[in-house]
């Protein structure tokens, strides 16, 4: 496994404010939860699960969002500002130097948008792996959702779907399944 990208991988999944319909005037999609699972690629195991609640600055948690994610306005009001959450990722999870993965590109693009719009340092390095694309390509599938991929792999969905921490944990299981089958990208492929 020396050809794999580093030993540890951060698997990240975010939840953001959302509505059943268009974004209300004066509001914007903002990250309200960052789920992170650290994967030891050499040992082939998930070694840590983290959850960072983020206090939105330009939006409110809708009833639809609470139903989907389980997060309430009161809960995220106790979170940290986005700038602090990004600094925490760098400080505690080596996010700027460690390769990271997410299920699709939504999470990467949401961080890019929110960092750029708020003048916040982007907390990740350049090495991002779209685990959804890798999984689909390795199985000859059209891209599938995380829950569908878990069913396809014969893996359980652990915890609550649309919880950032639980989804990161489940995505990490799919990453490890891909690693075990020898289909995870080598350093030069990222």
């Amino acid at each position: 496994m020396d050809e794999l990208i580093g030993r540890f991988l951060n698997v990240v999944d975010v939840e953001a404010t959302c509505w059943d319909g268009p974004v209300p005037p004066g509001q914007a999609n903002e990250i309200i939860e960052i789920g992170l699972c650290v994967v030891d690629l050499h040992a082939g195991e998930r070694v840590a699960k983290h959850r960072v609640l983020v206090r939105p600055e330009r939006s409110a948690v809708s009833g639809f969002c609470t139903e989907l994610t389980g997060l309430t306005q009161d809960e995220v009001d106790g979170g940290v500002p986005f700038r602090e959450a990004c600094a925490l990722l760098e400080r505690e999870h080596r996010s700027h130097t460690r390769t990271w993965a997410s299920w699709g590109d939504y999470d990467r693009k949401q961080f890019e948008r929110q960092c750029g719009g708020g003048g916040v340092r982007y907390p990740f390095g350049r090495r991002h792996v779209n685990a959804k694309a890798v999984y689909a390509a390795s199985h000859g599938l059209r891209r599938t959702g995380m829950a569908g991929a878990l069913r396809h792999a014969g893996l359980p969905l652990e915890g609550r779907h649309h919880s950032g921490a639980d989804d990161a944990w489940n995505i990490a299981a799919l990453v490890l399944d891909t690693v075990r089958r020898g289909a995870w990208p080598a350093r030069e492929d990222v």
Side-chain angles (χ1 to χ4, degrees):
M1 277 204 204
D2 290 337
E3 72 278 0
L4 293 178
I5 308 158
R7 177 174 181 165
F8 295 102
L9 172 75
N10 286 341
V11 176
V12 175
D13 185 80
V14 301
E15 300 303 326
T17 50
C18 54
W19 300 267
D20 187 15
V23 177
Q27 296 196 45
N29 292 101
E30 293 180 274
I31 293 171
I32 54 176
E33 180 190 9
I34 303 167
L36 186 142
C37 179
V38 179
V39 175
D40 182 333
L41 294 168
H42 292 187
E45 61 186 11
R46 299 172 285 187
V47 295
K49 179 179 178 183
H50 303 279
R51 179 183 195 216
V52 180
L53 290 180
V54 182
R55 184 171 52 249
E57 297 174 2
R58 300 183 340 244
S59 62
V61 176
S62 68
F64 173 81
C65 189
T66 295
E67 188 176 316
L68 182 68
T69 67
L71 296 167
T72 65
Q73 185 67 50
D74 285 345
E75 191 174 10
V76 299
D77 281 347
V80 298
F82 180 69
R83 179 180 303 279
E84 187 176 324
C86 288
L88 181 146
L89 289 173
E90 287 192 58
R91 185 176 61 250
E92 295 183 18
H93 303 290
R94 300 181 57 206
S95 64
H96 202 70
T97 58
R98 192 176 280 171
T99 300
W100 71 292
S102 62
W103 195 257
D105 284 327
Y106 171 82
D107 305 83
R108 179 183 56 79
K109 290 177 180 178
Q110 182 64 34
F111 268 104
E112 288 171 353
R113 270 191 303 274
Q114 199 163 334
C115 286
V120 174
R121 175 181 154 104
Y122 184 69
F124 301 103
R126 293 180 295 151
R127 293 185 318 239
H128 173 261
V129 179
N130 179 334
K132 180 180 187 176
V134 171
Y135 184 86
S138 73
H139 286 282
L141 301 171
R142 291 178 45 144
R143 293 187 184 184
T144 181
M146 182 203 69
L150 287 167
R151 281 190 301 277
H152 178 266
L155 297 169
L157 192 155
E158 298 181 54
R160 179 191 176 106
H161 192 19
H162 298 298
S163 156
D166 291 342
D167 284 355
W169 184 258
N170 286 307
I171 294 163
L174 291 165
V175 166
L176 288 171
D177 179 70
T178 307
V179 169
R180 281 191 279 283
R181 292 185 309 75
W184 194 249
R187 181 182 305 273
E188 61 272 6
D189 295 334
V190 175

